[in-house]
Amino acid sequence: MLDIFLKAAFIENMVLAYFLGMCSYLAVSKTVKTAVGLGLAVIFVLGITLPINWVISTYLLEPSTSVLSGIIGQETDLTFLRFILFIAVIASMVQLVEMMIEKFSPALYISLGIFLPLITVNCAILGGSLFMVAREYNFAESLSFGFGSGFGFFLAIVAIAAIREKLRYSDIPPALRGLGIAFILTGLMGIAFMSLMGIDPGNIIPQK
Amino acid sequence: MADTQTDVAVKPKDKAFAFGKKEKALITDPFNDNNPITIQVLGICSALAVTTLVLPSVVMSIAVVFVIAFSALIISLLRNSIPKQVRMIVQLVVIATLVTVVELVLKALNYDVYKQLSVFIGLIITNCIVMGRLEAFSMANRPWRSFLDGLGNGLGYGAILIIIAVVRELFGKGSLLGYQIIGNTDDFMINTTTSWMFGWYANNNLMVLPAAAMFIVGIIIWIQRSMYPRLVDAS
């Protein structure tokens, strides 16, 4: 379980290895403070939606394990509903999280502001669910994968925000300022993260 | 990211399917002045990882063009009956349905490419460019114009995607669409009869890495903004 967490956070980082969640990554990474807020929200939503989507995918959609197959008596394949159900779960979970945070911690709610609802269309969230299905994780693994990839997103967005804050003092060609240099920086960060690629997380953690 | 096209209101007497200067601009603008990737910065999420080879990128572009154009058409037809509070959900359902159609069609037609694209077809749903155009244009414009706008943005997006893929496949693998163009094939030590042009060229493995896509987009933005200084953002 821990190896899936480490793998999702560092080696197969959502942002730097798969380019998921790029829109908010580029738009919200101008200051470290907002980046931290968005990163925390993404960890939370990914950690919640992945197990829920796992349950839906396993017990409603997959023909071999579906509860419906048992009731009807023949295999029912509902996998074509996957996209619609996943995105509906994500949208409603984001809504729920938003209401909960508003109720229990108004200060955090105000600091997150518009970024909270925008998580719905963050590709990293849906991507996490789809990767979970494609890689056939079990429940515990998908939980750990959710938190791991959320943490990876957090790391990446905070790192680039810190770099972009420093970048204001450097002399960049006008045409490359802003967006262009942000892309190139992301590429460089991706290469830096690739140096972790040879590591097998299974070997770091002592096996019992 | 600001969009100036939204406030272009259509006069009531305009024909439903007119194709004049304005309509042409809807298609050509997204190629340069209002490109989804380099200017609007939308939709980078789901596609850059597929650009290592040209063929999957072409398929991806076609899929995105289809989804944007038809979701724009459908949302524009429904725009007066969608309550404002639930419009995001309605848009997502329309997009998700179209993406499901694309996925099933591709699965039936070309299973290899389907496997290669894996989760990235599904990720067209959260591709910001689709929802971005629906929010910015289709919710306020007539069906035909929305359709053209969707088509133009899809094509502008596909153009960037294919440029990146051509660079990456040509320099990373020495081939285009699977045909060897420069350098040697992997089996040139055994099969010496296949002598290709530029046999001295060694494949640049950097181009196969995901990071290369970021560099290429960065360089495209650099070139584009140097050629058209009006596109440089003030910040």
Side-chain angles (χ1 to χ4, degrees):
Chain A
M1 256 188 79
L2 193 60
D3 58 329
I4 287 184
F5 180 90
L6 291 176
K7 203 173 169 195
F10 295 105
I11 301 163
E12 293 177 349
N13 189 294
M14 276 284 182
V15 178
L16 300 171
Y18 292 106
F19 304 112
L20 299 178
M22 270 292 149
C23 300
S24 35
Y25 170 81
L26 287 171
V28 188
S29 62
K30 283 184 184 128
T31 58
V32 174
K33 212 178 160 199
T34 48
V36 170
L38 182 79
L40 287 177
V42 167
I43 296 182
F44 199 53
V45 174
L46 259 173
I48 294 179
T49 53
L50 250 71
I52 295 179
N53 278 344
W54 183 86
V55 170
I56 288 184
S57 176
T58 314
Y59 292 115
L60 272 180
L61 303 179
E62 286 296 333
S64 52
T65 47
S66 167
V67 183
L68 292 173
S69 302
I71 297 169
I72 300 171
Q74 66 184 53
E75 291 214 331
T76 33
D77 187 357
L78 292 179
T79 44
F80 64 92
L81 284 176
R82 182 171 287 148
F83 294 155
I84 295 179
L85 278 182
F86 278 9
I87 199 76
V89 167
I90 292 169
S92 44
M93 276 306 124
V94 170
Q95 192 79 51
L96 200 71
V97 168
E98 192 182 350
M99 290 191 306
M100 271 162 54
I101 294 181
E102 191 180 10
K103 174 95 173 136
F104 293 116
S105 168
L108 180 65
Y109 178 76
I110 291 164
S111 67
L112 282 178
I114 182 73
F115 306 125
L116 210 47
L118 276 184
I119 294 175
T120 313
V121 283
N122 188 328
C123 328
I125 313 282
L126 185 65
S129 290
L130 294 177
F131 273 129
M132 171 195 77
V133 173
R135 292 175 188 169
E136 297 171 351
Y137 286 141
N138 63 29
F139 184 78
E141 283 171 345
S142 61
L143 188 71
S144 134
F145 179 67
F147 279 108
S149 38
F151 184 67
F153 183 88
F154 176 84
L155 267 186
I157 196 167
V158 171
I160 190 128
I163 297 175
R164 283 178 84 172
E165 273 190 358
K166 294 277 175 212
L167 215 59
R168 271 181 227 148
Y169 308 108
S170 36
D171 187 22
I172 306 162
L176 204 55
R177 254 172 228 167
L179 190 59
I181 196 73
F183 271 108
I184 290 175
L185 272 175
T186 311
L188 289 173
M189 282 170 67
I191 290 183
F193 263 68
M194 272 187 54
S195 55
L196 301 167
M197 213 169 234
I199 300 172
D200 179 9
N203 287 339
I204 309 171
I205 307 146
Q207 303 283 339
K208 279 175 190 164
Chain B
M1 269 182 237
D3 188 34
T4 47
Q5 291 175 359
T6 39
D7 49 12
V8 185
V10 190
K11 286 177 206 127
K13 63 181 176 184
D14 277 1
K15 273 182 215 149
F17 293 102
F19 195 82
K21 224 175 203 165
K22 270 189 200 160
E23 281 75 15
K24 201 178 159 200
L26 286 178
I27 293 208
T28 52
D29 258 14
F31 276 93
N32 188 19
D33 282 25
N34 204 10
N35 190 284
I37 293 184
T38 62
I39 308 294
Q40 302 178 49
V41 212
L42 295 173
I44 308 136
C45 336
S46 65
L48 289 193
V50 307
T51 50
T52 37
L53 297 172
V54 176
L55 183 63
S57 319
V58 173
V59 174
M60 185 76 184
S61 311
I62 295 171
V64 170
V65 168
F66 172 82
V67 172
I68 303 190
F70 283 93
S71 61
L73 181 69
I74 293 170
I75 289 295
S76 178
L77 285 168
L78 293 173
R79 71 184 186 280
N80 293 327
S81 45
I82 300 175
K84 214 170 171 48
Q85 294 84 2
V86 295
R87 65 182 198 285
M88 299 271 266
I89 296 286
V90 175
Q91 290 165 359
L92 278 174
V93 168
V94 169
I95 298 169
T97 314
L98 284 166
V99 171
T100 310
V101 170
V102 168
E103 195 211 11
L104 293 176
V105 168
L106 185 65
K107 204 172 176 178
L109 287 182
N110 194 334
Y111 194 72
D112 290 340
V113 174
Y114 169 78
K115 275 279 153 205
Q116 254 174 334
L117 290 174
S118 70
V119 301
F120 292 98
I121 286 283
L123 286 176
I124 299 176
I125 298 173
T126 46
N127 194 328
C128 332
I129 184 63
V130 183
M131 268 194 104
R133 290 328 292 171
L134 294 185
E135 275 287 292
F137 199 88
S138 310
M139 289 299 282
N141 281 280
R142 293 179 146 210
W144 172 240
R145 288 170 57 88
S146 305
F147 180 76
L148 289 179
D149 178 72
L151 202 64
N153 276 284
L155 292 173
Y157 174 84
I160 298 286
L161 218 62
I162 291 168
I163 291 175
I164 302 170
V166 165
V167 174
R168 286 181 76 182
E169 190 176 343
L170 188 62
F171 294 109
K173 293 208 155 76
S175 59
L176 280 179
L177 285 167
Y179 298 103
Q180 204 69 24
I181 307 278
I182 56 173
N184 279 302
T185 46
D186 292 336
D187 62 343
F188 76 101
M189 295 289 262
I190 315 150
N191 190 0
T192 45
T193 50
T194 53
S195 64
W196 296 96
M197 286 185 289
F198 306 109
W200 45 266
Y201 181 78
N203 291 340
N204 183 351
N205 285 328
L206 174 70
M207 286 295 166
V208 188
L209 303 181
M214 299 317 275
F215 295 141
I216 297 168
V217 177
I219 291 166
I220 290 174
I221 292 175
W222 193 2
I223 295 172
Q224 192 190 17
R225 294 190 182 183
S226 310
M227 282 164 71
Y228 305 95
R230 66 174 188 278
L231 299 175
V232 177
D233 44 347
S235 57

